Amino acid sequence: MLKNPATKYRPFTPIALPDRQWPSRVIESPPRWLSTDLRDGNQSIIDPMDGVKKARFFDLLVEIGVKEIEVGFPSAGTTEFTFIKHLVESGTIPDDVTVQVLTQSREDLIRTSFESLEGARAAIVHLYNAVSPAWRDIVFRMSKDEVREIAMQGAKVMRDEAAKRPDTDWHFQYSPETFSTAEIDFSIEVCEAVMQVLAPTPEHPIILNLPATVEASTPNIYADQIEYFCRNLPNRESAVISLHTHNDRGTGVAAAELGLMAGADRVEGCLFGNGERTGNCCLVTMALNMYTQGVDPGLDFSDIDRVIETVEYCNDLPVHQRHPYGGELVYTAFSGSHQDAIKKGFEAQERQNDELWRVPYLPIDPADLGRDYEAVIRVNSQSGKGGFAWVLEQREGLKLPKSMQRDFSKHVQRLADESSRELGAEDIWQAFKGAYHVQTPDKHFQLVDYNETRASDGTRIFSGKIAVDGQEQSVSGRGNGLISSVMATVREVFGVELEVVDYTQQSLGSGTDANAATYLECVDPDGRTVWGCGIDEDVATASVRAVLSAANSAVSV
């Protein structure tokens, strides 16, 4: 890299727009969406889609609610032409969906484009030619007048070809390609010339698409360009202003959002941002950004994993694990403090009286996109007690007391450090059972059977059978209640002396088949804290098991 990049690169020149209005505006309604997955997206993948994949992708776009779909570049080859022709002739295109095709401003290519759409109910023909200085001077070696003439001649051919096919509802789109790096007044001049040829009206407007063909500036400058264009375009009411942003600087979505605020009406892009180089505007990200602001985007991503599956199959490209909204890890927290905040957020959601979403670190409810909460919190060596507590609650319904969470965190941390990997729900559940001798056959004290009776003096008598290292013993003990009578039995028969500090019970689930869990915090004569947990379909039996769990913990210390 150069020590002084200014010797090679020049900063982008901003537009003089001191009274810009877009910064104070907000997006309150969705734009018209155009998917160019089957065209711009298709031309940028290693192996372009065949007809089968294109058909599957088209069906997906229709299903999620895209109403305008750029289906191909008919003059690019037989595959493209045949696919478009089949869509039209097979009746596959729903009445509320309009297909679009792209063509350079060349007479033969425009004619081929109209031929591919022969018989369509409605269609958009998208004409383009590059207008920026680099293209005029380096690629075309043409003057401004010559470049403007290319656009006008293409528009005339479009007009005449459409007139030959009056049964189709034709719509025209023009892109001053490389708009974002062209002189803004020249772009307006070319678009005005095209409009004079095609004679749009407010009832039948032209679509003027303004591409950031290569993203070369910060998104605020693109917004300035859009606002300036909208203000200064003659006959603005007869034009739909469309945006087509690329992501070379990593701000393709931001540029499109600011462009909408600046007055645009329509957005072109691809699902998950596929496209040349760093890609196009991601329609999923932009739509769900609106959704999180309370705006219905008009696109349905309620089963986002199935959308991802189709896109990955058709493009033969993976959706990155951290892609906004769709990535495998975007709702996942490994950090202990993050996990604790998320856990408390979900607990608060259960208590609040409204439906407003207020969970820290989660800008959207994963359930709205068809995701469950299992992967929201994942545990590794960076995680804290909130992480495994969440996992246990999600998997087993256990809501550990906070002091027990602190105790169990030592076991989880040791396991994470020893394994040097992420801990799954099964790892944590097995660690819990091992730490507190829950539902494990090799525990020292194991309940076989018992009954409880009330003595004449009001005390409770526990009697039953407890297996000690596999050998059954008949035992009994007396106390003020069931737990104290079991504690007395353990002390008198086995010499394990414990004092209960705290006692918590919870129901695991609902209904008559729900289990119960009992948590006991105890101290031994040396002041050491030991924990016990008992789980059983019977509440009383869960308490007995909790005492034996604590006794097992005491003899294991």
Side-chain angles (χ1 to χ4, degrees):
M1 294 178 67
L2 301 174
K3 293 297 183 183
N4 182 16
T7 62
K8 188 173 183 178
Y9 302 99
R10 292 288 181 267
F12 199 91
T13 303
I15 289 180
L17 196 66
D19 60 341
R20 59 182 60 85
Q21 300 299 306
W22 64 262
S24 61
R25 296 174 183 156
V26 295
I27 298 172
E28 298 178 328
S29 60
R32 288 169 54 175
W33 301 106
L34 180 284
S35 163
T36 187
D37 287 276
L38 301 180
R39 200 278 306 170
D40 200 345
N42 190 46
Q43 75 178 15
S44 61
I45 56 181
I46 298 169
D47 296 312
M49 289 179 271
D50 58 19
V52 173
K53 287 185 174 181
K54 291 194 78 167
R56 179 169 173 179
F57 211 127
F58 180 85
D59 290 342
L60 171 69
L61 293 169
V62 170
E63 183 180 338
I64 64 176
V66 181
K67 301 304 182 185
E68 297 177 35
I69 303 172
E70 193 164 61
V71 290
F73 200 130
S75 58
T78 303
T79 299
E80 292 284 280
F81 187 94
T82 302
F83 171 72
I84 297 165
K85 196 71 174 170
H86 174 73
L87 279 180
V88 172
E89 295 179 348
S90 64
T92 303
I93 306 168
D95 288 343
D96 62 345
V97 172
T98 303
V99 294
Q100 174 174 304
V101 298
L102 181 70
T103 176
Q104 291 170 305
S105 188
R106 277 176 40 189
E107 182 172 354
D108 58 328
L109 305 185
I110 297 170
R111 293 185 190 282
T112 300
S113 299
F114 276 89
E115 289 170 6
S116 72
L117 294 167
E118 193 87 50
R121 177 194 58 80
I124 303 167
V125 179
H126 179 187
L127 178 78
Y128 75 95
N129 67 301
V131 299
S132 67
W135 283 76
R136 296 196 313 262
D137 301 340
I138 299 171
V139 181
F140 301 144
R141 298 185 180 180
M142 288 182 175
S143 67
K144 286 184 175 180
D145 289 343
E146 291 172 312
V147 168
R148 183 178 60 250
E149 184 63 23
I150 291 175
M152 294 176 65
Q153 289 303 317
K156 290 175 182 177
V157 177
M158 279 207 310
R159 178 195 61 195
D160 296 343
E161 290 297 311
K164 297 175 184 177
R165 302 166 175 86
D167 292 336
T168 297
D169 180 14
W170 295 107
H171 298 265
F172 302 129
Q173 175 169 328
Y174 173 69
S175 288
E177 185 72 353
T178 64
F179 163 83
S180 61
T181 52
E183 307 93 332
I184 186 72
D185 289 316
F186 181 59
S187 294
I188 293 173
E189 180 183 326
V190 175
C191 289
E192 181 183 6
V194 170
M195 292 175 72
Q196 289 174 350
V197 172
L198 297 174
T201 64
E203 295 72 31
H204 202 83
I206 187 174
I207 300 170
L208 295 178
N209 189 54
L210 307 179
T213 307
V214 175
E215 188 175 44
S217 70
T218 50
N220 62 296
I221 292 179
Y222 182 70
D224 280 350
Q225 292 173 324
I226 300 304
E227 182 168 334
Y228 184 98
F229 186 96
C230 291
R231 285 194 199 181
N232 293 280
L233 177 71
N235 198 17
R236 166 66 176 94
E237 66 278 6
S238 297
V240 171
I241 305 303
S242 179
L243 308 175
H244 184 114
T245 59
H246 277 255
N247 201 43
D248 299 270
R249 293 171 58 96
T251 56
V253 169
E257 290 178 327
L258 299 190
L260 279 187
M261 293 159 59
D265 312 294
R266 183 176 183 262
V267 171
E268 296 191 352
C270 292
L271 300 185
F272 301 105
N274 186 35
E276 293 177 287
R277 303 179 310 282
T278 53
N280 291 280
C281 173
C282 174
L283 298 186
V284 175
T285 302
M286 191 165 176
L288 293 178
N289 281 352
M290 293 180 191
Y291 183 83
T292 66
Q293 303 304 301
V295 176
D296 179 4
L299 299 179
D300 182 6
F301 296 112
S302 57
D303 189 357
I304 200 166
D305 287 331
R306 195 167 64 82
V307 176
I308 291 171
E309 179 185 358
T310 301
V311 172
E312 289 184 331
Y313 166 74
C314 293
N315 288 340
D316 199 21
L317 290 172
V319 172
H320 194 276
Q321 290 178 318
R322 298 204 181 279
H323 192 101
Y325 301 108
E328 180 185 345
L329 296 177
V330 297
Y331 307 112
T332 299
F334 290 99
S335 162
S337 60
H338 293 198
Q339 293 173 344
D340 184 62
I342 291 171
K343 180 175 179 292
K344 289 175 179 175
F346 274 106
E347 291 170 352
Q349 286 290 120
E350 295 178 0
R351 297 192 300 268
Q352 69 187 39
N353 295 322
D354 56 53
E355 296 181 4
L356 288 178
W357 180 252
R358 296 176 63 228
V359 176
Y361 294 108
L362 295 178
I364 193 171
D365 185 351
D368 288 358
L369 306 182
R371 294 270 176 92
D372 57 34
Y373 297 139
E374 183 176 341
V376 168
I377 289 177
R378 291 164 63 173
V379 177
N380 61 18
S381 60
Q382 302 299 304
S383 305
K385 62 182 182 298
F388 66 73
W390 164 271
V391 171
L392 280 177
E393 182 175 344
Q394 293 300 301
R395 179 190 164 110
E396 302 295 332
L398 298 177
K399 297 182 179 180
L400 306 189
K402 289 197 177 299
S403 50
M404 190 178 192
Q405 291 179 26
R406 288 193 292 271
D407 184 79
F408 184 44
S409 68
K410 297 178 291 186
H411 299 273
V412 176
Q413 188 66 47
R414 183 167 56 250
L415 178 59
D417 289 338
E418 290 172 353
S419 62
S420 298
R421 62 174 175 82
E422 178 188 349
L423 302 182
E426 180 64 20
D427 295 318
I428 294 170
W429 174 232
Q430 292 301 327
F432 181 82
K433 292 198 298 182
Y436 304 108
H437 317 282
V438 176
Q439 299 177 358
T440 54
D442 57 346
K443 53 191 173 183
H444 186 64
F445 301 117
Q446 188 167 354
L447 179 66
V448 178
D449 193 14
Y450 82 97
N451 61 69
E452 177 193 18
T453 57
R454 184 186 297 272
S456 58
D457 60 358
T459 58
R460 300 295 181 92
I461 300 173
F462 170 85
S463 60
K465 292 182 179 180
I466 294 176
V468 182
D469 294 332
Q471 300 297 314
E472 291 186 12
Q473 288 187 224
S474 296
V475 296
S476 64
R478 183 188 296 258
N480 291 328
L482 175 60
I483 289 179
S484 62
S485 65
V486 181
M487 298 286 279
T489 301
V490 169
R491 181 179 64 252
E492 294 165 5
V493 177
F494 304 116
V496 180
E497 187 169 347
L498 295 172
E499 180 180 347
V500 176
V501 175
D502 195 19
Y503 163 84
T504 306
Q505 276 193 330
Q506 70 160 118
S507 175
L508 304 180
S510 58
T512 57
D513 296 331
N515 282 348
T518 299
Y519 310 102
L520 282 182
E521 182 182 3
C522 306
V523 292
D524 66 11
D526 296 326
R528 293 176 299 187
T529 298
V530 294
W531 277 91
C533 175
I535 300 174
D536 198 273
E537 59 186 17
D538 176 67
V539 175
T541 304
S543 297
V544 175
R545 294 189 187 280
V547 175
L548 295 181
S549 168
N552 280 313
S553 296
V555 299
S556 301
V557 173

